[in-house]
Amino acid sequence: MMVAPGLQGKRMELLQGGRVKQGGKFTLVLSGGGLKGLAHIGVFRALEERGLIPDLIVGSSIGAMIGAAWAGGMSPAEMAARAFQVERRHVFRVARGDMAFRRLLSPALYRREPLDLLIRSLVGRRTFKDLKHRLLVNTVDLNSGRQVVWGLPGLDDAPLADVVFASCALPGIFPPREIRGRYYVDGAVVENLPVRVAAATEPWPIIAVNVATTNVRRSGIEQQGFAAIYVRGLEVVMQTQIEAALRGWDGPPLVLVQPPVEPISMFAFDRTAELLAAGYRATVETLDRLGGRLDQIGRGLHPTRRLRIVVDEKRCIGCGVCVAQAPAVFRIGSTGKAVVTVPLQRWSPLDEACVQSCPTAAITLVPEEPKSAA
């Protein structure tokens, strides 16, 4: 197809049957979240179907692993096929020797070799300069506590496999990775959904995929041992961190995709099909809510929808958590119960998350579809 000279480089979006055939420049940010990150493969499939090709990938942890595989030329179909082949033994092998002889001086609960082999099978011996697409990988310098983003100028000649391993090295779970004489761990320690990195790198719209949401209650974790309790705590920390980073977002337009994977464990190896489907559906639904366009959304967090907020007075205990979360929307009334001051709201996914803080689930969100013209 011929492109008019005035449009070359801009790559305006063309819509046909509601499907995007070609899109403007954008950054894709992929969060960590253990095996739940397999949902990112479904995201790539949905974007590919609509002709949306990220100009930059920014990833943490498994988001870095899957982003690196795609940036190296692996298709969503190839990644999906590989995902179905991965078993627990390909990732986790208890470091029995270290745990037995070094005990609390053991660097991690699991050995590095299985994960090393898996990562190298995906990215080979490449450096960032060998990739087909731009990639940034989020890590943390263990000794200084500073965020280090690999792939930036001066940080793009390290072995990609080492950098991706470092980004997956959840402290205590996997050992730190030495690169250039320093030790690095999972970037999720500082920024699990590295949207600030994306905004500081390019001014383009951002599609950010968060698979680390924790809004669903899980029972019995306290009986599942150290690793499960530790990881659940990290999930809560990562989600709180993400919400803090996105609240009041004033960077480039940001589209938040949150596949509904909360009930699935970070270490679940038997939910691959469900995870791939969740990532795909969430991306399709989010793009549909935007009308399929990225070039026409303004600054702020997207997508938004019109909602009516209802408080069940019988359930409400007047704790005031909702007021603390959204003081412009809630207040404590004369009866000591929460009152909605502005029932109709246009909220983003982050705004909607605040109702999850209610300890008695007394707040309901009712979608309000706009009335059609008579």
Side-chain angles (χ1 to χ4, degrees):
M1 182 180 69
M2 296 295 293
V3 180
L7 296 182
Q8 286 183 355
K10 192 173 182 181
R11 297 194 303 160
M12 295 292 289
E13 291 175 341
L14 303 175
L15 295 178
Q16 182 176 359
R19 291 296 177 114
V20 177
K21 294 187 70 177
Q22 192 172 358
K25 288 186 175 183
F26 72 98
T27 299
L28 179 63
V29 177
L30 304 175
S31 81
L35 270 293
K36 292 193 289 187
L38 294 178
H40 294 319
I41 299 173
V43 173
F44 276 113
R45 176 189 160 204
L47 294 176
E48 182 184 74
E49 285 184 356
R50 294 178 176 230
L52 288 168
I53 307 301
D55 294 87
L56 173 65
I57 303 289
V58 183
S60 275
S61 199
I62 193 169
M65 185 191 303
I66 291 173
W70 182 84
M74 192 173 288
S75 71
E78 290 173 309
M79 289 192 288
R82 289 296 307 273
F84 281 108
Q85 296 171 357
V86 175
E87 301 175 1
R88 180 172 293 272
R89 62 188 174 88
H90 297 138
V91 180
F92 299 115
R93 188 187 306 161
V94 175
R96 300 186 186 280
D98 282 343
M99 296 295 290
F101 297 106
R102 302 180 68 182
R103 298 188 181 182
L104 293 181
L105 291 179
S106 174
L109 183 61
Y110 296 104
R111 295 182 61 84
R112 63 173 178 79
E113 290 86 357
L115 183 58
D116 248 335
L117 287 173
L118 175 61
I119 292 172
R120 293 184 189 281
S121 73
L122 295 173
V123 304
R125 298 182 178 276
R126 296 184 181 95
T127 68
F128 288 85
K129 297 177 181 179
D130 302 320
L131 297 174
K132 295 183 177 180
H133 303 277
R134 284 181 66 194
L135 171 72
L136 299 180
V137 174
N138 186 34
T139 68
V140 172
D141 184 316
L142 180 62
N143 295 110
S144 71
R146 301 293 184 184
Q147 185 176 27
V148 177
V149 180
W150 297 88
L152 292 172
L155 292 170
D156 56 359
D157 58 351
L160 184 60
D162 285 341
V163 172
V164 171
F165 184 98
S167 190
C168 294
L170 200 60
I173 302 298
F174 292 109
R177 175 51 51 92
E178 181 183 0
I179 306 174
R180 296 179 177 176
R182 303 190 67 85
Y183 291 86
Y184 298 90
V185 295
D186 195 337
V189 172
V190 170
E191 192 178 9
N192 190 42
L193 186 68
V195 291
R196 293 178 301 174
V197 171
T201 305
E202 297 292 353
W204 310 322
I206 298 167
I207 296 179
V209 186
N210 176 26
V211 296
T213 52
T214 59
N215 296 331
V216 172
R217 292 177 181 269
R218 289 196 222 134
S219 60
I221 294 175
E222 69 283 356
Q223 300 175 7
Q224 295 174 21
F226 162 78
I229 295 171
Y230 176 71
V231 168
R232 179 57 174 169
L234 283 174
E235 284 183 319
V236 174
V237 169
M238 289 188 292
Q239 177 61 19
T240 303
Q241 173 199 90
I242 289 170
E243 291 178 1
L246 295 179
R247 191 167 289 113
W249 176 258
D250 61 355
L254 193 154
V255 178
L256 184 61
V257 178
Q258 298 197 115
V261 296
E262 297 97 327
I264 301 176
S265 166
M266 288 178 67
F267 295 160
F269 287 83
D270 58 349
R271 310 286 289 275
T272 300
E274 183 179 347
L275 289 165
L276 298 180
Y280 175 81
R281 285 196 308 268
T283 306
V284 168
E285 291 168 4
T286 300
L287 292 174
D288 284 346
R289 286 172 64 182
L290 293 173
R293 306 295 294 249
L294 291 178
D295 62 335
Q296 294 184 355
I297 60 176
R299 296 174 74 86
L301 200 58
H302 303 271
T304 61
R305 61 175 179 162
R306 189 174 170 83
L307 300 164
R308 179 175 296 277
I309 307 167
V310 180
V311 173
D312 185 337
E313 189 171 334
K314 293 182 179 179
R315 286 190 172 190
C316 178
I317 57 175
C319 64
V321 169
C322 58
V323 180
Q325 292 274 351
V329 179
F330 300 96
R331 65 179 175 84
I332 298 298
S334 58
T335 62
K337 301 296 183 72
V339 174
V340 184
T341 57
V342 187
L344 285 177
Q345 293 284 331
R346 179 162 289 281
W347 270 2
S348 72
L350 181 66
D351 297 315
E352 295 178 28
C354 81
V355 305
Q356 302 292 336
S357 300
C358 178
T360 59
I363 305 172
T364 302
L365 301 180
V366 181
E368 286 274 328
E369 298 297 331
K371 296 180 180 179
S372 59

